C-alpha cells in the first residue's frame, strides 16, 4: 500500500530520530529509551549558566567523536534512492546529525539545525564544528574522558568532576563571544523562515511521509496537522504509536532499516514493470 502511495511522486519526507537509531544514535522516546535517562540542555540554561555551559561543551566534545563515526544506514540510503528516482520532492529532518546528506539525499531542510556548524551568540559568526573541535583539543590537552553512549543531541553523560575542569573557548571573530552549536535547543524557537519553507514544501506535496518520529512535540507534528487540514495524505513508518496516527492514511509499525529498503524494492519492481528507467 505504501509503495502504491509513493508512485504518484511529489512526496515530502519528515524524518525524526528513529531513522538514525540503526546508526548508533538513540532517539528520545522510541525503543532505545533515551528519554528515560537523558535530560537535554535547554537554551535558557545554556545561555544563563556558565558552569552548565562548560559541562555541556565537555560532554559535547566527547560526543562529537562518536557522532563523526556514525554512518548513514539503509534507511537513509533508501530515502536518497527514492529521491533519485524522482518520487521524493523534499526532505525535512528533525535530526541534527547530517546523516541524510551523508547517505546521498539532496536539498535537506534541517528543521532543528546541524551539529556540524557553530554560531556565536554575540556576533552571529558561523564556523565549522571541525574547527571548534581542534581549538577545544588544544585548550584541553589532558582531557581524557571517553563516551560510553552518545545522546540524540550529540553529547554524552559525564560526571561533574570530569566536566568541571574543561576549558571552553570563545568566538575568534568578536574576541570571546559565547559559542553554541547551530542547533535548536529545547526552549528555543525554530527560525521563522525555516518553518515557512517546510510548510511550503508540505503544501506542494501529494503525500507527507513521516519516518521515525513519534510526533510528540509540536515542532514536527504541526506539519502533519497542516497536511491533514489541506487534505494531503499522510503515511507514517515508525516503531510504536505516534501522535499523528489518527491523521494517517497508512501507519506502518516497523524498524526503518528493514521497512525502507523493502519499500524501495517494491517501488523499483513496480517501476520496472512499467518500463521506468533505473535512477542514477
Amino acid at each position: 500500500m505504501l509503495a502504491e502511495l509513493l508512485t504518484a511522486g511529489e512526496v515530502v519526507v519528515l524524518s525524526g530520530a528513529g531513522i538514525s537509531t540503526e546508526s548508533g544514535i538513540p532517539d528520545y522516546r522510541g525503543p532505545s529509551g533515551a528519554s528515560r535517562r537523558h535530560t537535554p540542555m535547554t537554551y535558557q540554561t545554556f545561555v544563563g549558566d556558565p558552569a552548565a555551559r562548560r559541562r555541556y561543551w565537555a560532554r559535547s566534545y566527547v560526543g562529537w567523536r562518536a557522532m563523526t563515526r556514525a554512518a548513514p544506514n539503509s534507511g537513509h540510503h533508501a530515502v536518497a534512492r527514492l529521491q533519485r528516482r524522482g518520487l521524493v520532492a523534499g526532505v525535512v529532518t528533525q535530526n541534527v546529525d547530517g546523516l541524510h546528506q551523508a547517505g546521498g539525499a539532496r536539498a535537506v531542510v534541517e528543521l532543528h539545525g546541524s551539529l556540524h556548524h557553530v554560531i556565536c551568540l554575540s556576533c552571529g559568526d558561523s564556523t565549522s564544528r571541525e574547527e571548534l573541535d581542534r581549538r577545544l583539543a588544544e585548550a584541553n590537552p589532558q582531557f581524557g574522558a571517553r563516551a560510553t553512549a552518545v545522546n540524540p543531541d550529540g553529547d554524552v553523560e559525564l560526571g561533574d568532576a570530569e566536566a568541571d575542569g574543561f576549558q571552553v573557548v570563545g568566538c575568534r571573530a568578536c574576541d570571546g563571544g559565547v559559542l553554541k552549536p547551530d542547533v535548536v535547543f529545547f526552549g528555543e524557537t525554530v527560525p521563522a523562515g525555516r518553518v515557512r519553507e517546510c510548510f511550503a514544501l508540505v503544501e506542494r506535496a501529494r503525500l507527507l511521509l513521516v519516518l521515525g518520529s513519534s510526533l510528540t512535540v509540536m515542532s514536527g507534528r504541526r506539519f502533519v496537522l497542516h497536511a491533514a487540514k489541506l487534505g494531503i495524505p499522510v503515511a507514517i513508518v515508525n516503531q510504536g504509536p505516534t501522535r499523528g496516527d489518527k491523521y494517517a492514511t497508512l501507519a506502518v509499525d516497523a524498524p526503518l532499516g528493514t521497512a525502507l529498503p523493502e519499500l524501495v524494492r517494491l517501488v523499483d519492481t513496480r517501476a520496472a514493470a512499467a518500463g521506468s528507467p533505473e535512477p542514477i
Side-chain angles (χ1 to χ4, degrees), residues 17-84:
I19 199 169
S20 292
T21 56
E22 292 173 58
S23 294
I25 301 173
D27 56 4
Y28 284 111
R29 299 172 182 86
S32 64
S35 63
R36 293 193 292 272
R37 59 181 180 273
H38 172 58
T39 301
M41 172 63 72
T42 66
Y43 179 78
Q44 292 76 13
T45 300
F46 184 89
V47 172
D49 187 340
R53 187 163 61 243
R54 180 174 63 250
R55 289 192 292 271
Y56 169 83
W57 274 120
R59 298 193 305 267
S60 186
Y61 174 73
V62 177
W64 174 246
R65 282 149 178 75
M67 292 292 285
T68 56
R69 290 194 297 271
N73 61 54
S74 57
H76 297 108
H77 290 299
V79 170
R81 184 175 178 87
L82 291 170
Q83 190 178 44
R84 289 195 299 273

Side-chain angles (χ1 to χ4, degrees), residues 74-209:
S74 57
H76 297 108
H77 290 299
V79 170
R81 184 175 178 87
L82 291 170
Q83 190 178 44
R84 289 195 299 273
R85 181 165 284 288
L87 300 178
V88 169
V91 178
V92 177
T93 185
Q94 300 172 84
N95 301 337
V96 297
D97 52 38
L99 292 180
H100 271 300
Q101 297 92 318
R106 305 180 305 278
V108 177
V109 180
E110 295 176 302
L111 183 64
H112 296 151
S114 171
L115 282 173
H116 292 264
H117 305 284
V118 178
I119 58 170
C120 174
L121 296 180
S122 298
C123 71
D125 185 60
S126 177
T127 54
S128 73
R129 184 60 183 266
E130 288 81 4
E131 178 184 337
L132 177 63
D133 187 67
R134 290 192 293 270
R135 294 180 62 203
L136 289 174
E138 292 170 0
N140 297 274
Q142 305 303 318
F143 190 74
R146 295 288 184 269
T148 55
V150 65
N151 292 320
D153 46 8
D155 64 358
V156 299
E157 297 298 327
L158 289 180
D160 288 350
E162 290 182 285
D164 282 343
F166 192 77
Q167 297 299 310
V168 177
V169 299
C171 176
R172 281 179 165 168
C174 67
D175 195 22
V178 172
L179 296 177
K180 171 185 171 291
D182 194 6
V183 300
V184 177
F185 282 179
F186 280 75
E188 191 176 4
T189 303
V190 179
R194 197 179 300 163
V195 175
R196 287 194 297 269
E197 182 182 5
C198 294
F199 274 126
L201 278 172
V202 172
E203 289 164 5
R204 296 194 296 269
R206 289 181 181 270
L207 173 72
L208 178 61
L209 176 60

